[in-house]
Amino acid sequence: MKKLAKYLKDKNIISDNEYDDILVYTQKDSVDLDEEYEDEGEDQAIEDFLASLFSESEKLPVVFDSQTDKMLDEYLKSFVALYGLISAQQAYQIIHSQNPSIDKERFDQYIQNKFDEMTMEYCIIDFREAFQNVDIAPEIFIFSPLLIKDGDRLPSFYKHQQGLPYYIPEKEVLIDNNFNPFANISNYQQDLEELLANQYGLSGDDLKGAAFLSLYQLKMSDYELELSSVNKAITKVIVFLNEEHGLSVKQDKANEPLIKLLVLIATNIRRPWNRGWTNYEMLRTKDIAELVSEMGINLDDPKLSSEIISRIKAGSINRDELLNFLESSNLPPKVISKLYKQVEEL
């Protein structure tokens, strides 16, 4: 655990403070890896294994320039954290909307160079070759390793997201590692630590470990495929606090402040299941079907609404998904044809 934490820190995946939190927590019933692996060959094997889990962009051919290639890598990390799964084509559309100088040909080469590179951050696979029996579009996809759980997980995730717009923050936010699973959520970690200390008497290692791992569990539960996953995540955290830290938390009036804080944290986490929207935001987010239904289409002169056009240009709406929706809609064929052509021209 210590070696993995150090590797995460060295790669700037977790901050120095988060690294210290992990070290503090691992002091409890810790295992001395140096004593367990005294043989230098075995110790080197561990280092090699950890290194193999992460992208090493500097070992790959430079496609644009070193700074731009690094920026693209940061984009892909954030896409996976926010969306869980995204096609290379849609990833390019979002990136190009914020960086017009990124051309498609070289972007495709950048993606090709990263084929089959399995890391803890993201995977890039051509589904036409790798998963012929999976019911998913035959495209190149960037996705989270956490989604490789069983044969149904990826297609279920993919089908659920169809027609949902992408939450896309400003470029500076998107590529700043804000959505790393280890990143803090505003001041919630501090609020949680204060509550656990004041109401439940935790301190020292127990306090740091309980707050850190509670937040981590809430974040990782974003990948549950049921919409009730917020309640499940909170239940898991309560079970964890009771079993590992000797608490007796129940969902009653006495524990209401803790439950409310956990709900606040969980509902403000950007969920890959919702294409990056929080649960609260998702209640107000229109899908493609709603946007089309609100267009007020003139059957004699059908036109895309300005909202749909701007969202396509910004990468928020996947053009292929909109085209598929139009094809399967009940609109007259001539109307579909005209709208279809407008989408293709954007």
Side-chain angles (χ1 to χ4, degrees):
M1 183 66 176
K2 292 178 184 177
K3 287 181 179 290
L4 176 57
K6 184 176 185 305
Y7 196 86
L8 292 170
K9 183 175 77 73
D10 291 344
K11 292 294 179 181
N12 294 319
I13 294 168
I14 61 175
S15 68
D16 290 344
N17 289 337
E18 289 161 344
Y19 171 70
D20 292 339
D21 286 344
I22 295 175
L23 290 189
V24 167
Y25 190 72
T26 53
Q27 296 303 314
K28 184 179 180 180
D29 300 326
S30 62
V31 176
D32 192 334
L33 292 179
D34 290 332
E35 290 182 6
E36 187 174 352
Y37 296 99
E38 293 181 348
D39 182 83
E40 291 186 1
E42 291 183 0
D43 194 57
Q44 183 60 46
I46 294 173
E47 296 292 342
D48 293 343
F49 170 71
L50 293 176
S52 72
L53 294 175
F54 292 86
S55 299
E56 296 289 349
S57 300
E58 64 271 18
K59 294 182 180 179
L60 297 173
V62 174
V63 177
F64 292 89
D65 57 68
S66 58
Q67 185 174 356
T68 302
D69 283 13
K70 184 178 184 298
M71 178 190 72
L72 294 178
D73 185 59
E74 295 301 326
Y75 265 111
L76 298 188
K77 292 175 186 176
S78 289
F79 287 161
V80 164
L82 283 172
Y83 316 134
L85 171 72
I86 186 172
S87 70
Q89 178 178 339
Q90 185 62 21
Y92 172 75
Q93 188 175 341
I94 295 172
I95 293 171
H96 182 70
S97 71
Q98 297 184 345
N99 306 271
S101 62
I102 302 295
D103 63 90
K104 185 69 163 61
E105 184 177 351
R106 284 194 290 174
F107 177 80
D108 288 344
Q109 184 59 57
Y110 176 86
I111 295 296
Q112 288 282 337
N113 289 349
K114 284 180 168 286
F115 262 17
D116 300 324
E117 187 177 34
M118 307 293 286
T119 77
M120 285 184 70
E121 294 160 330
Y122 61 80
C123 306
I124 301 178
I125 290 181
D126 188 340
F127 275 74
R128 285 167 291 198
E129 299 177 4
F131 294 106
Q132 297 180 359
N133 297 324
V134 173
D135 184 16
I136 198 169
E139 299 181 50
I140 297 169
F141 278 93
I142 303 127
F143 62 96
S144 168
L146 294 173
L147 291 174
I148 308 178
K149 184 176 181 181
D150 53 58
D152 298 325
R153 196 167 183 81
L154 274 169
S156 176
F157 205 97
Y158 172 78
K159 289 176 182 178
H160 174 81
Q161 288 186 335
Q162 297 303 287
L164 297 178
Y166 292 84
Y167 165 77
I168 305 174
E170 296 294 327
K171 174 183 174 180
E172 291 74 16
V173 176
L174 193 55
I175 64 173
D176 194 30
N177 209 26
N178 281 273
F179 308 104
N180 185 301
F182 289 94
N184 290 339
I185 308 173
S186 185
N187 294 320
Y188 291 141
Q189 182 163 346
Q190 181 179 344
D191 294 341
L192 185 57
E193 286 185 9
E194 290 178 358
L195 182 59
L196 291 173
N198 296 334
Q199 184 167 339
Y200 299 96
L202 295 184
S203 61
D205 298 353
D206 278 353
L207 175 61
K208 292 291 184 182
F212 178 82
L213 291 179
S214 293
L215 278 174
Y216 183 73
Q217 288 184 79
L218 288 175
K219 290 192 175 190
M220 300 315 286
S221 292
D222 289 345
Y223 289 87
E224 293 288 343
L225 297 189
E226 298 84 8
L227 295 180
S228 62
S229 61
V230 168
N231 290 330
K232 284 188 174 182
I234 291 171
T235 299
K236 287 180 181 178
V237 169
I238 291 174
V239 170
F240 160 73
L241 291 173
N242 289 341
E243 292 182 350
E244 298 298 326
H245 296 277
L247 305 184
S248 55
V249 179
K250 298 179 181 178
Q251 297 206 26
D252 55 20
K253 191 71 176 177
N255 296 288
E256 190 174 274
L258 175 61
I259 303 300
K260 283 185 175 179
L261 181 56
L262 293 176
V263 170
L264 181 64
I265 295 170
T267 54
N268 279 279
I269 292 174
R270 301 203 169 278
R271 295 163 53 83
W273 183 239
N274 293 340
R275 275 192 171 160
W277 302 102
T278 67
N279 275 13
Y280 174 72
E281 290 171 334
M282 200 63 193
L283 296 174
R284 301 175 297 165
T285 301
K286 301 171 185 176
D287 61 16
I288 288 177
E290 289 177 290
L291 290 169
V292 172
S293 68
E294 293 177 358
M295 277 171 48
I297 298 172
N298 181 342
L299 298 182
D300 296 323
D301 186 25
K303 293 181 181 179
L304 296 172
S305 70
S306 58
E307 183 177 3
I308 287 182
I309 290 173
S310 63
R311 288 200 179 196
I312 292 174
K313 288 182 177 179
S316 175
I317 290 180
N318 187 323
R319 286 182 297 181
D320 290 339
E321 290 180 11
L322 178 56
L323 293 174
N324 291 337
F325 174 80
L326 292 174
E327 283 185 331
S328 61
S329 71
N330 295 322
L331 294 169
K334 289 184 179 180
V335 173
I336 293 176
S337 177
K338 288 187 177 181
L339 294 176
Y340 201 99
K341 185 176 181 181
Q342 291 176 42
V343 176
E344 287 187 317
E345 289 175 349
L346 289 174

